[in-house]
Amino acid sequence: MQEQLHRILVINPGSTSTKIGVFDNEILIMERTIHHSAESLAEFPTIPDQYRFRTQTILETLDEEGMNVSKLSAVCGRGGLLHPIEGGTYKVNKTMLKDLRKGILGQHASNLGGIIAYEIAEGLNIPSFIVDPVVVDELDPIARISGLPLIERKSIFHALNHKAVARRYAKEKGQAYEDVRLIVAHMGGGITVGVHLNGRVVEVNNGLHGDGPFSPERAGTVPAGDLVELCYSGKYSRQEIMKMLIRQGGLAGYLGTTDTVKVEKRVQKGDAIAQSIYEAMAYQVAREIGSASTVLGGKVDAIILTGRLTYGKEFTASISERINWIADVLVMPGENELQALVEGAVRVLNKEEKAKTYTARK
């Protein structure tokens, strides 16, 4: 039986650019990155206000590339900061649009993904989707307990890539995602290590401004008492402290750069400080993976290293040497966000899974 052809437009908005791809099923036939000048975006008071402008630039780009939008079967956008939801592919609905426009958990360019996808799809009378946004929350109840009753551990991580590489691993092994036991470490500007069990990420560090390894930008877990002292030292504002934790921690704080290629060059030239910090980052990732393996009782099918940092061979080797006794270590470089998005849409269009419905929180 011949596979049905689905042509899908995929949209991934960034702060100053919009990446788009057109796929025939899971085969990429066109990809473009549309750059937006600071001047053009400055005209809009809020991020949601940009949606008409970005939608128009996408349609113009498709026209320039000779892509007939009437042949589209669906449009899929990057998921934004919604209420916590379980993983999967969601059909964009009015409730989701309201929360994306409102920015219930914050304003971020990814919020535009669902809005633009709906705007284009609605005019063509085809479905629009989002897939595995960063707010995917499937933590086991025990994993939510922090040790301080006033604070609950949160699930904020690179869900899209986590889920995509886990599903690819399962497919290659001829198994269902729900039947594999994996640890996935996504390593980019932030680093998140997740435990995948029964098709759910039951444990993961908060990669935004919570716990876990330090990264090129994030401070990760820091001694709580010392952090409290810093907060009340009178030297720094709340905004400055948050900036230290989220944008100026990790490699940026120690070495003044988030560019791991530059860091590796410094290491190769014998920079002892760069060597120690780079090694410490690998050490913390390995330690987090080791900790995560206890959630699975040591019964781990594979450990997957993914994200842009995995292009650094010495970095991934340093991690692998510390953890390969737990399970096979597989490297799946990059993030491949457009591919991950289209795979989610195709699963629904092929009726391999049912699109989920986003509902309002009471």
Side-chain angles (χ1 to χ4, degrees):
M1 185 175 179
Q2 189 174 6
E3 183 181 30
Q4 185 176 353
L5 178 65
H6 302 293
R7 178 160 291 186
I8 303 165
L9 169 63
V10 178
I11 302 165
N12 182 13
S15 57
T16 60
S17 66
T18 305
K19 294 180 181 178
I20 63 171
V22 177
F23 292 78
D24 280 346
N25 292 335
E26 296 177 3
I27 306 300
L28 179 67
I29 61 171
M30 189 278 285
E31 181 178 7
R32 281 282 299 272
T33 298
I34 306 168
H35 297 282
H36 311 297
S37 67
E39 293 77 17
S40 63
L41 297 181
E43 298 178 18
F44 306 100
T46 68
I47 289 175
D49 292 332
Q50 299 173 13
Y51 88 91
R52 285 195 179 90
F53 165 72
R54 294 211 195 201
T55 299
Q56 187 59 37
T57 60
I58 291 170
L59 293 174
E60 288 173 357
T61 301
L62 292 172
D63 186 56
E64 290 170 4
E65 294 289 336
M67 293 290 157
N68 186 345
V69 294
S70 67
K71 293 185 178 181
L72 294 175
S73 304
V75 186
C76 187
R78 182 73 184 268
L81 298 175
L82 296 160
H83 286 297
I85 54 178
E86 66 179 7
T89 300
Y90 286 77
K91 191 170 182 178
V92 181
N93 58 22
K94 298 291 186 180
T95 303
M96 183 187 294
L97 288 173
K98 180 180 176 182
D99 284 352
L100 288 172
R101 288 174 176 140
K102 187 176 180 181
I104 53 170
L105 290 184
Q107 293 290 354
H108 190 273
S110 62
N111 291 9
L112 289 165
I115 299 172
I116 297 171
Y118 181 87
E119 179 75 8
I120 294 174
E122 182 74 358
L124 298 170
N125 196 30
I126 57 176
S128 55
F129 305 106
I130 66 165
V131 182
D132 292 325
V134 295
V135 293
V136 165
D137 185 347
E138 301 168 335
L139 292 182
D140 275 347
I142 197 170
R144 300 184 189 281
I145 300 171
S146 71
L148 187 64
L150 294 175
I151 299 175
E152 183 178 85
R153 292 186 66 234
K154 295 180 177 66
S155 174
I156 301 178
F157 70 112
H158 307 87
L160 181 63
N161 195 37
H162 264 255
K163 293 274 189 176
V165 297
R167 288 189 180 104
R168 285 173 204 154
Y169 168 85
K171 187 175 183 180
E172 289 172 5
K173 293 295 181 180
Q175 296 177 274
Y177 170 50
E178 292 74 17
D179 295 330
V180 294
R181 303 163 67 91
L182 303 172
I183 297 172
V184 177
H186 175 107
M187 301 178 292
I191 294 174
T192 53
V193 177
V195 177
H196 295 243
L197 176 65
N198 299 327
R200 300 173 67 83
V201 182
V202 298
E203 170 64 74
V204 68
N205 62 292
N206 179 340
L208 181 57
H209 44 72
D211 51 357
F214 75 78
S215 72
E217 297 179 359
R218 312 283 200 270
T221 301
V222 296
D226 292 337
L227 179 59
V228 170
E229 291 294 333
L230 197 64
C231 291
Y232 285 89
S233 67
K235 297 179 181 178
Y236 307 101
S237 66
R238 178 184 182 278
Q239 290 77 14
E240 288 171 329
I241 292 288
M242 289 300 290
K243 196 171 183 179
M244 287 182 200
L245 294 174
I246 298 173
R247 294 297 178 196
Q248 297 178 342
L251 297 185
Y254 285 107
L255 302 176
T257 181
T258 61
D259 189 334
T260 53
V261 174
K262 291 181 179 178
V263 173
E264 288 181 349
K265 287 181 179 178
R266 287 169 62 172
V267 171
Q268 292 165 4
K269 291 179 180 178
D271 186 327
I273 295 176
Q275 171 71 44
S276 65
I277 299 303
Y278 205 42
E279 178 63 25
M281 186 166 70
Y283 166 82
Q284 288 200 5
V285 174
R287 187 180 66 187
E288 191 77 14
I289 291 171
S291 175
S293 71
T294 66
V295 178
L296 295 174
K299 298 176 182 177
V300 184
D301 293 330
I303 299 167
I304 302 175
L305 305 181
T306 186
R308 64 178 174 84
L309 296 192
T310 56
Y311 289 112
K313 293 183 179 180
E314 291 183 11
F315 181 67
T316 53
S318 181
I319 296 170
S320 298
E321 288 168 4
R322 294 181 182 273
I323 60 171
N324 57 19
W325 57 274
I326 300 172
D328 290 338
V329 181
L330 308 177
V331 180
M332 297 185 179
E335 299 184 26
N336 303 311
E337 293 165 331
L338 296 182
Q339 188 70 39
L341 288 168
V342 81
E343 287 169 1
V346 168
R347 285 193 298 273
V348 168
L349 294 173
N350 285 340
K351 295 182 171 55
E352 296 171 20
E353 63 182 58
K354 189 176 180 180
K356 295 180 179 178
T357 301
Y358 180 80
T359 56
R361 287 294 183 95
K362 296 181 180 179

